[in-house]
Amino acid sequence: MRDDIRLTIDGEDFTSECESVEFGLPRVMYEEGDGRDRVLFCGPAGFQITLINPTDRARALADGRYATRTVTITCQGQQITHPTRFLKDWTTTDGTRKVFGALAWDHDRDAQWVNEPQLAQA
């Protein structure tokens, strides 16, 4: 992992628990069409993280989206924190192990990402 990236999950240091971290703040896209035309709608900002070649401890985070964890990434003096659910652990055809996580969905509120106001500030 790059020397300037720190990964903290639920207050525990996971920096050395994977070879590298890929992360981003994508927008969710929705498409509607009537057979001739299509309209794209941009949904709320999201968060995604992929741990590359994680240790067994990091792989254990992938519980199928049940536990919401607080993930903090620090890089080049910047820091971002998001509530995250780790969804899947798999091995690619070239043997690379990966764990994928995404912004947690708040099931207690109607159609809301967890901490939506926090995302607007990010």
Side-chain angles (χ1 to χ4, degrees):
M1 186 172 323
R2 288 180 22 195
D3 292 335
D4 61 340
I5 292 181
R6 286 190 51 88
L7 174 64
T8 306
I9 301 172
D10 288 342
E12 295 183 49
D13 188 358
F14 271 74
T15 303
S16 63
E17 298 290 331
C18 57
E19 195 172 282
S20 63
V21 175
E22 297 173 358
F23 61 95
L25 298 166
R27 286 275 186 191
V28 180
M29 297 298 293
Y30 303 91
E31 182 178 338
E32 291 291 330
D34 63 3
R36 294 176 299 154
D37 297 313
R38 68 183 183 134
V39 178
L40 295 176
F41 296 93
C42 193
F47 174 72
Q48 67 185 47
I49 183 170
T50 305
L51 309 180
I52 309 300
N53 289 323
T55 63
D56 288 342
R57 178 179 176 224
R59 288 178 47 219
L61 296 169
D63 65 357
R65 80 178 182 274
Y66 296 105
T68 299
R69 303 180 185 281
T70 302
V71 172
T72 300
I73 298 172
T74 306
C75 179
Q76 298 178 348
Q78 301 290 320
Q79 189 176 72
I80 190 165
T81 300
H82 285 288
T84 303
R85 289 196 176 126
F86 288 93
L87 308 174
K88 186 172 179 172
D89 165 36
W90 77 100
T91 303
T92 63
T93 56
D94 68 358
T96 302
R97 291 209 64 104
K98 294 185 176 186
V99 170
F100 176 79
L103 181 65
W105 184 263
D106 187 343
H107 294 285
D108 295 330
R109 296 185 299 160
D110 187 29
Q112 299 278 332
W113 294 111
V114 173
N115 281 345
E116 235 175 11
Q118 180 184 0
L119 289 174
Q121 297 170 7

